[in-house]
Amino acid sequence: MRFRGIIFDMDGTLTVPISDFNRLRQELGIPAGQDIVRTVNLWPEAQRLHAWNVIESYEDSMAELNRIQPGVKEAFELFRRHGLKLAILTRNSSRNVEKFLNAFKLKVDLYLSREYEYVKPSPEPVQHILLRW
């Protein structure tokens, strides 16, 4: 079997892990083990909008501290030389994905962020990427 593409997660895979999701859960009042995105999306509009503002502010502060994992740039270059397509599937906002890609001068064929209709671990985002490729 020959690989034609690779789908990456962003936080903790392409970046050095720095996010403190437990702290974010505490700030939002979401119990440990509950999915942040799914929980927030079930809240009434005013509460949901406030939560997304808190999350975006937190992500912005984390984006300023982002460091790329050692070897990622070289790996991307190698994959490109071998004709592989590259994608990112993340729960980050598209704005933060763009910041990351620009900051580290990385190119991907496409990415799906939390603005996409479905979020991981749902299979739909991966199926969408594969269909686009």
Side-chain angles (χ1 to χ4, degrees):
M1 177 196 290
R2 185 178 178 281
F3 289 95
R4 295 188 182 140
I6 303 172
I7 302 171
F8 293 93
D9 179 41
M10 196 170 97
D11 290 331
T13 301
L14 299 176
T15 66
V16 173
I18 57 170
S19 295
D20 185 353
F21 293 111
N22 290 328
R23 187 184 110 204
L24 186 58
R25 275 190 186 85
Q26 278 184 318
E27 189 171 341
L28 294 171
I30 298 174
Q34 270 192 355
D35 186 277
I36 294 171
V37 172
R38 288 194 178 117
T39 300
V40 168
N41 282 336
L42 293 173
W43 289 348
E45 184 177 4
Q47 186 182 9
R48 185 176 61 244
L49 292 174
H50 171 72
W52 282 120
N53 285 333
V54 168
I55 292 167
E56 298 232 352
S57 175
Y58 177 77
E59 285 179 347
D60 286 345
S61 66
M62 292 297 100
E64 299 301 318
L65 303 173
N66 257 346
R67 292 189 334 248
I68 193 168
Q69 289 277 15
V72 166
K73 288 180 116 179
E74 296 82 3
F76 269 44
E77 291 168 10
L78 177 68
F79 298 148
R80 287 273 180 221
R81 281 197 307 270
H82 287 281
L84 293 173
K85 295 192 178 290
L86 304 175
I88 294 176
L89 175 55
T90 182
R91 288 173 162 229
N92 262 281
S93 68
S94 59
R95 187 169 50 93
N96 279 324
V97 176
E98 289 291 334
K99 278 184 188 179
F100 169 74
L101 293 171
N102 291 331
F104 298 104
K105 296 176 179 38
L106 294 174
K107 292 191 188 316
V108 294
D109 297 289
L110 68 123
Y111 65 82
L112 291 181
S113 60
R114 71 166 166 260
E115 290 89 358
Y116 182 68
E117 181 178 6
Y118 302 99
V119 294
K120 63 182 184 167
S122 176
E124 284 86 352
V126 171
Q127 292 167 344
H128 178 82
I129 290 169
L130 295 175
L131 288 171
R132 292 274 311 270
W133 282 350

